[in-house]
Amino acid sequence: MTSRNQQLFELSQKYIPGGVTPIFFRRGQGAYVWDADDKPYIDYVGSWGPLILGHAHPEVIKAVQAAAQDGLTFGAPTEGELEIAELLCTLVP
């Protein structure tokens, strides 16, 4: 049986060339992150990402508050990142 990580990795190679890893993280808490198959890891990367819409955009604040319970960034691909990449590739072929 193919793991969720493997399914996401295979799909990501179509939309995110290079820079992808076969592990997709879905949440984090404290010093730990969990992958798409719910396997825990110690987060030695401690990643952070850029602001896209500027500081304190009301819709971003609302989205961050909703997402914060599962962690904000993992330094590795997430399912949400793949969804955005697919949308961008559709909008800008």
Side-chain angles (χ1 to χ4, degrees):
M1 178 177 206
T2 304
S3 74
R4 184 68 177 145
N5 278 312
Q6 185 62 33
Q7 292 169 349
L8 294 170
F9 180 59
E10 288 171 7
L11 185 58
S12 73
Q13 292 178 37
K14 181 177 178 181
Y15 295 102
I16 309 171
V20 295
T21 67
I23 299 173
F24 279 72
F25 292 106
R26 65 173 189 84
R27 71 182 184 95
Q29 184 176 8
Y32 299 91
V33 292
W34 285 260
D35 71 11
D37 295 312
D38 208 31
K39 181 179 175 185
Y41 300 82
I42 295 174
D43 183 3
Y44 290 108
V45 177
S47 177
W48 58 276
L51 295 172
I52 296 172
L53 298 176
H55 294 282
H57 187 283
E59 289 184 40
V60 173
I61 290 172
K62 184 178 177 182
V64 167
Q65 288 172 334
Q69 294 177 14
D70 290 333
L72 299 177
T73 181
F74 307 104
T78 65
E79 218 169 322
E81 177 184 47
L82 176 57
E83 291 170 10
I84 291 169
E86 287 178 291
L87 176 61
L88 288 172
C89 289
T90 299
L91 296 174
V92 185

